[in-house]
Amino acid sequence: MAADKVGPMAPLWAIATSDGKPMAEPPRWALARDTVRHAGEAVAAVIAQTQAQAQDAAELLQVDYEPLPAVTGGRAAMGKGVPQLHEVAPGNVCFRFARGDPAAVQKAFEGAAHVVKLDLANNRLIGAAIEPRAVLADGGTGKLTLYASTQVPHHIRRTVTEQLGLPQTAIRLVAPDVGGGFGYKGKHYPEETIIAWAALRLRRPVKWVATRSECFLSDYQGRGHQTLCELALDAEGNFLALWVDTVANIGAYVSTFGAGIPSAIYSALLAGVYRTPAIAVQSTGVFTNTVPTDAYRGAGRPEACLVLERLADEAARVLGVDRAEIRRRNLVPADAMPYKTPIGPTYDCGNFPKVLSRLLEIAGYKGFASRQSAAARAGQRRGFGIACYVESSGVAPSRMAAALGARVGFFEAATIRVQQDGSVQALLGTHNHGQGHATTFAQIIASRLGVPMASVEIIEGDTDQVPYGSGTFGSRSIAVGGSALDVAARKVIEKAKMIAAHLLEASAGDIAFAGGEFSVAGTDRKVTWREVANAAHRPSSYPDIELGLQDSAVYDPSSFAWSNGAHACEVEVDCDTGTIRVDGYWGVDDVGTVINPMIVHGQIQGGIAQGLGQAMLERCFYDASGQLLSGSFMDYAVPRAKDMPGIVSELDESQPCTHNPLGAKGCGEAGAIGAPAAIVGAVLDALRPLGVNDIEVPLTPERVWQAICTARLSARPSSPRK
Ligand code: MCN
């Protein structure tokens, strides 16, 4: 590959550091050269006719490794005398990112009646989609078709062709059903380049499918923060200022969006739903001998939510105020919208107090105290947790993203092609991998064009068919892709009206369109959608109108779509074993106008399952030498059906997004954002009477049991022997 001058893997997001310097961007090759920096970094590719042959051949490879010292923890990697991963990154620092107003924060802290502090870990997670990653490159004798399990086909075509020194037109990238992605399949991987290069070299198809073990070792992981945070409050419990210092363990290299998540995306969310007048955050991206981290469902938002909600609970504890009440006091009121946060973004709409009130109502918060006492009388520990969140869905306004270092535009393109029989093909640059786009996008077309849903075909995931696209991540498909589709549909209707006007011998301005029929206003003269589509394809009678019926739109949002919500859960903790039973889970989510409630509920439920996994079960763990100890499902516990509570989920549609034509805000990550904080809050609430005020996530039975034992031991009267 070096001889063929295959280029390095370039990240698509480069953060400007707080001292104005570019972030450290050490070269990363598809196959390691000289130094291997994390377990799972590929050193060789073996190509054979069968998998068995390839495995036999791989076993013949002899790699002379000289073991080097490793560092795997984010904070540890910043210490003195630790191994340095890259010459270009002294102290293993990739970037130092700062945002907000530290002077205002300092002043507020000086005058505060109370300050609460926490040191919080946000556990590293492994994506674990049902199907592993796979790549197949075909057509080495002509144009290469690269089938890849990616969420971002156009971005991957661009990065692979850039590396191979080819024009983008030399590769057709097709991403069919990919078996789940959760963000980590939305990034560029070495195998995409290696397989494409090998197929071009060998002039025959080459295929690679990861084993589950390879997935554990080499799929990009998520989260991995360690955060010191402090909240200043006045005597009445009003938030005055927030200070956050996060170390983000970004792994051995900067992956595709790996630098943007713990900096630009995470920091923008630190106002949350609250009116905190002064906020300052610094986030340091640190290289370690672990697989790179990147977006994983929520990507920066669950991390911000956990910081804010844990601080809110801690403030309630210290001030002796009810946890719902302290939140109520500090929520941004609905009449303050549009609300400019002190950390940058402006929320266009949202009624946070209404959402929280409704949540507490459906979760029966008023009756919780008596449920808790009844449980205590029976020797059980019961707790209730609350988490409020905002989500910057609809990633991203290209101008904002560019200012924050993104190297790609995040706009979306949609094309609508009407066939002669009136059936419709819609091509979108988004990518469906479990979100139900074929249903919801068809609903949008059907409602706009008045055609049956069954006659609509949604085409995504093929760079030769779809003109451009940013793909699917950041809960962007409805807010950005759906909006592009809406704009394209309006253009198509305008053209169809001209054809209808011709057929009805009227002027286009007099044509009304409703229910799939075009009529001349004030008359009973009408033509159907099908007749217009047919006429558009019969080249005879209307010289002024371009034939055919299709149009395209490019939509670049002017802002994020600010989804928000409040989640609650009730748990019972078994103090003898440390096991947690989640007895109830409630969510009220504002995702703006809902296109398909069943899909939205499903998305929220899936997100909650992942949030529960983060809170209670999942822990990606490397030992000090850099070996991954959680390298299989025997060591890494994802939630199973029996772990899931029944979920009561309500949608509040009273606050449609004001700047996109659908009024829709994203929902794909909502559950994963609120659930960890709600569950951790509930468990700590259950254990506070025992003196347990903190447990590191995930709250595994062992950790919970140890925290209980430690609290009990320290609560014992001191020994008479002393
Ligand atoms: N929707 C709706 N009305 C709304 C909002 C959304 O009907 N107001 C519908 C949309 O039309 C779409 C679905 O809900 O069918 C999700 O839309 P959206 O919130 O825009 O999210 P995306 O489609 O962009 O999906 C991305 C999001 C992310 S970031 C991750 S990670 C994730 C997720 O979706 N990964 C998933 N959901 C997943 N679901 C499955 N099954 N598998 C994954 O890998």
Side-chain angles (χ1 to χ4, degrees):
M1 292 180 82
D4 279 358
K5 297 195 170 44
V6 177
M9 317 256 308
L12 293 180
W13 201 320
I15 285 301
T17 62
S18 44
D19 54 13
K21 291 189 195 137
M23 68 177 194
E25 226 179 294
R28 177 182 176 209
W29 304 100
L31 290 173
R33 296 184 185 175
D34 304 325
T35 307
V36 174
R37 291 185 176 81
H38 68 86
E41 183 173 3
V43 293
V46 175
I47 294 154
Q49 302 241 28
T50 68
Q51 190 180 353
Q53 278 179 359
Q55 274 165 343
D56 286 349
E59 277 166 26
L60 296 177
L61 277 177
Q62 189 101 34
V63 185
D64 290 325
Y65 289 109
E66 174 202 342
L68 297 174
V71 59
T72 54
R75 279 187 186 158
M78 294 171 75
K80 285 211 171 71
V82 297
Q84 301 291 295
L85 270 79
H86 302 284
E87 254 175 46
V88 295
N92 290 321
V93 171
C94 172
F95 60 82
R96 287 184 201 278
F97 176 87
R99 193 169 188 171
D101 187 344
V105 168
Q106 179 63 23
K107 203 165 154 222
F109 268 83
E110 282 162 13
H114 303 279
V115 171
V116 291
K117 308 179 185 194
L118 289 170
D119 186 356
L120 293 173
N122 201 293
N123 40 331
R124 225 179 209 252
L125 302 175
I126 292 172
I130 288 178
E131 290 179 23
R133 289 187 293 116
V135 187
L136 163 62
D138 189 11
T141 50
K143 180 167 181 163
L144 193 76
T145 302
L146 192 62
Y147 298 90
S149 54
T150 181
Q151 304 170 210
V152 292
H154 286 83
H155 292 334
I156 300 306
R157 181 185 63 163
R158 172 188 148 178
T159 44
V160 172
T161 49
E162 271 175 11
Q163 274 181 289
L164 298 177
L166 297 170
Q168 290 191 10
T169 45
I171 289 186
R172 171 185 180 196
L173 202 140
V174 182
D177 293 338
V178 303
F182 305 121
Y184 75 89
K185 283 191 194 157
K187 312 294 167 294
H188 181 33
Y189 282 92
E191 292 84 359
E192 288 146 357
T193 308
I194 296 168
I195 304 300
W197 169 78
L200 290 169
R201 256 305 182 109
L202 299 171
R203 298 184 156 267
R204 58 189 297 180
V206 179
K207 179 179 87 165
W208 168 82
V209 181
T211 63
R212 184 57 71 177
S213 304
E214 285 172 324
C215 294
F216 273 102
L217 279 169
S218 65
D219 288 353
Y220 300 142
Q221 299 170 356
R223 321 271 196 266
H225 286 197
Q226 195 74 43
T227 297
L228 279 172
C229 49
E230 295 189 28
L231 180 67
L233 300 101
D234 68 13
E236 282 72 49
N238 295 305
F239 297 175
L240 299 177
L242 172 72
W243 176 82
V244 176
D245 183 359
T246 292
V247 173
N249 179 340
I250 65 164
Y253 301 96
V254 192
S255 76
T256 315
F257 294 132
I261 309 290
S263 52
I265 300 279
Y266 165 67
S267 63
L269 273 295
L270 283 167
V273 292
Y274 303 114
R275 240 174 333 132
T276 313
I279 303 178
V281 51
Q282 58 186 45
S283 176
T284 310
V286 181
F287 291 114
T288 63
N289 295 109
T290 62
V291 76
T293 50
D294 208 305
Y296 171 68
R297 201 171 195 170
R301 289 77 139 231
E303 294 91 314
C305 181
L306 193 71
V307 166
L308 291 170
E309 296 306 288
R310 284 293 314 276
L311 282 171
D313 281 352
E314 187 63 5
R317 182 181 77 84
V318 170
L319 274 72
V321 178
D322 176 78
R323 286 169 300 147
E325 178 52 30
I326 204 152
R327 287 174 166 84
R328 261 190 223 112
R329 270 179 215 175
N330 288 287
L331 290 175
V332 177
D335 62 11
M337 297 292 172
Y339 174 74
K340 176 150 178 50
T341 65
I343 198 73
T346 298
Y347 306 152
D348 62 325
C349 64
N351 191 336
F352 307 150
K354 180 180 169 217
V355 165
L356 178 60
S357 299
R358 181 64 189 148
L359 172 81
L360 297 174
E361 203 178 312
I362 62 172
Y365 185 57
K366 268 197 190 138
F368 171 69
S370 64
R371 294 199 292 280
Q372 191 176 37
S373 322
R377 282 195 297 278
Q380 303 296 331
R381 294 284 159 201
R382 211 171 172 78
F384 190 92
I386 306 168
C388 302
Y389 74 89
V390 284
E391 179 191 351
S392 47
S393 81
V395 172
S398 291
R399 246 164 298 158
M400 271 189 219
L404 290 165
R407 288 171 172 164
V408 285
F410 291 124
F411 58 90
E412 209 45 72
T415 296
I416 293 179
R417 294 198 295 232
V418 182
Q419 310 299 316
Q420 190 161 355
D421 64 355
S423 61
V424 180
Q425 283 177 323
L427 300 98
L428 286 111
T430 46
H431 182 270
N432 180 62
H433 42 281
Q435 294 89 347
H437 292 177
T439 304
T440 45
F441 289 154
Q443 272 181 263
I444 294 172
I445 300 263
S447 68
R448 302 297 184 273
L449 305 185
V451 296
M453 267 180 75
S455 71
V456 181
E457 184 189 12
I458 302 297
I459 299 170
E460 296 179 315
D462 183 342
T463 56
D464 267 13
Q465 290 205 67
V466 178
Y468 180 78
S470 249
T472 282
F473 52 90
S475 302
R476 65 188 304 277
S477 302
I478 195 68
V480 191
S483 295
L485 196 58
D486 180 87
V487 178
R490 285 167 209 237
K491 289 184 178 178
V492 167
I493 291 170
E494 281 317 300
K495 173 148 187 215
K497 276 184 178 175
M498 288 163 67
I499 298 169
H502 175 85
L503 296 176
L504 294 165
E505 294 173 347
S507 94
D510 291 336
I511 300 292
F513 178 61
E517 288 182 335
F518 299 85
S519 55
V520 183
T523 73
D524 59 359
R525 283 156 53 213
K526 51 178 75 164
V527 279
T528 64
W529 173 262
R530 199 185 168 110
E531 285 164 338
V532 170
N534 184 36
H537 292 83
R538 292 167 67 91
S540 52
S541 44
Y542 30 84
D544 300 341
I545 308 170
E546 192 182 80
L547 286 169
L549 190 50
Q550 66 175 43
D551 220 321
S552 300
V554 167
Y555 186 81
D556 192 13
S558 60
S559 179
F560 292 100
W562 294 99
S563 317
N564 62 87
H567 284 207
C569 83
E570 201 163 312
V571 300
E572 203 153 278
V573 182
D574 181 334
C575 292
D576 292 332
T577 62
T579 47
I580 301 163
R581 196 182 71 221
V582 183
D583 260 358
Y585 196 102
W586 301 266
V588 178
D589 295 277
D590 164 7
V591 298
T593 306
V594 173
I595 309 300
N596 186 314
M598 190 159 66
I599 283 183
V600 170
H601 283 300
Q603 283 291 308
I604 290 173
Q605 186 163 343
I608 292 169
Q610 281 174 290
L612 182 143
Q614 162 152 39
M616 292 171 47
L617 301 161
E618 299 181 37
R619 184 185 178 214
C620 170
F621 183 65
Y622 287 87
D623 71 9
S625 74
Q627 291 301 333
L628 180 70
L629 298 190
S630 51
S632 79
F633 285 125
M634 293 301 286
D635 321 292
Y636 186 88
V638 292
R640 287 137 296 185
K642 77 168 179 50
D643 298 312
M644 287 299 293
I647 293 168
V648 179
S649 166
E650 277 193 8
L651 302 172
D652 182 329
E653 286 195 76
S654 67
Q655 304 286 317
C657 176
T658 58
H659 54 75
N660 74 39
L662 299 174
K665 310 170 187 175
C667 70
E669 292 159 289
I673 299 170
I679 293 169
V680 173
V683 173
L684 291 178
D685 181 46
L687 300 180
R688 273 212 174 96
L690 302 176
V692 176
N693 292 317
D694 193 17
I695 313 177
E696 193 175 316
V697 274
L699 309 181
T700 57
E702 186 203 5
R703 282 181 171 176
V704 171
W705 181 79
Q706 281 189 355
I708 295 168
C709 293
T710 309
R712 278 182 175 156
L713 280 175
S714 57
R716 269 160 55 170
S718 53
S719 160
R721 274 177 287 123
K722 278 193 186 154

